[in-house]
Amino acid sequence: YVLEERFKKGSATRPVKLLDGNDVMTIFGMKPSPALGGLLEGLREAQVAGEVTNKEEALDWVKQSLTNQQDNSHHVRIDQCQ
C-alpha cells in the first residue's frame, strides 16, 4: 500500500521485478493467494529499502519470509491449543 501511494504521487520509481508470482509459485510451491500477493509486495518494499538488490537476494528474502510465517503460524496454533 505504501509503495502504491508513492508511485501515484510520483515520489518513487517502481523497482524492477526480480521475481514474479510465477517464479515464487514454481520455486516455493505456493498457489495464487492473498499471501502470495503480500509476499511480493513485501519483496518490492525490501527492494526500495535497498535490502534486496538482485535475484539471489530476492530468493533468500522470500525463503526467510516464508520460514518466518511458518514459525509464527506454528506458535499461534500452540497458543490456541492451551
Side-chain angles (χ1 to χ4, degrees):
Y1 173 77
V2 172
L3 289 178
E4 289 303 318
E5 290 302 311
R6 284 176 135 185
F7 298 141
K8 288 177 188 174
K9 294 177 183 175
S11 62
T13 57
R14 189 173 300 273
V16 174
K17 283 186 181 180
L18 298 174
L19 297 174
D20 64 20
N22 288 325
D23 294 327
V24 175
M25 288 187 293
T26 300
I27 294 166
F28 296 99
M30 291 186 73
K31 295 182 180 186
S33 67
L36 175 60
L39 188 66
L40 292 171
E41 180 68 19
L43 176 58
R44 286 191 295 271
E45 289 180 7
Q47 282 183 259
V48 169
E51 299 169 15
V52 174
T53 59
N54 59 49
K55 188 170 183 172
E56 182 177 336
E57 290 175 354
L59 290 168
D60 288 342
W61 188 94
V62 169
K63 183 177 180 180
Q64 184 64 44
S65 294
L66 291 172
T67 300
N68 289 342
Q69 286 176 3
Q70 287 176 349
D71 289 346
N72 289 337
S73 67
H74 177 69
H75 293 297
V76 169
R77 284 190 210 121
I78 291 171
D79 292 343
Q80 290 173 346
C81 293
Q82 295 177 348

